[in-house]
Amino acid sequence: MSHDTEIQGRSQSQYEFDRRKNAVQLRKQVINFAIMIFLTFVAFATVVADFAPTFIKPVILLLAGIQVVLQLYSFMHMDDKHAPFIGVISTFVWVGAVIAFTFFLAFNTIIWW
């Protein structure tokens, strides 16, 4: 049984380029992960420090929002401008975020007021 698949090796320059590109991508993901761990630590420290609940809730929601944006851009690869259909994907993600925020705001308004 033979296959007509031709195996084509990469040149040394292509290998080095891919290696540098992957190293940069990994560095960005590790930095974003460290930032998210730090933001989580700040959220826990805010609660442990026993601040007023009117201060804790907005701070935690703000930190959570920052983490959502970081996760979308780093781990969901929305920062990759050359990915196929990235414009369509970004549009759907942000429209979904606006709709979710609108529902969140509407239901909180109905419940609390």
Side-chain angles (χ1 to χ4, degrees), residues 17-35:
F17 174 78
D18 289 343
R19 189 174 164 101
R20 282 191 304 271
K21 184 178 172 187
N22 290 340
V24 167
Q25 186 70 16
L26 179 64
R27 189 176 315 120
K28 284 170 53 176
Q29 287 188 352
V30 168
I31 289 170
N32 283 332
F33 182 71
I35 290 170

Side-chain angles (χ1 to χ4, degrees), residues 41-62:
F41 173 74
V42 169
F44 278 110
T46 305
V47 172
V48 170
D50 204 26
F51 289 113
T54 55
F55 176 75
I56 293 174
K57 289 177 185 176
V59 167
I60 289 178
L61 288 175
L62 175 68

Side-chain angles (χ1 to χ4, degrees), residues 39-83:
L39 292 176
T40 302
F41 173 74
V42 169
F44 278 110
T46 305
V47 172
V48 170
D50 204 26
F51 289 113
T54 55
F55 176 75
I56 293 174
K57 289 177 185 176
V59 167
I60 289 178
L61 288 175
L62 175 68
L63 294 174
I66 293 170
Q67 285 190 4
V68 166
V69 171
L70 280 174
Q71 287 178 12
L72 283 174
Y73 275 97
S74 64
F75 298 119
M76 302 303 286
H77 304 289
M78 287 183 62
D79 60 344
D80 186 9
K81 301 296 182 199
H82 302 292

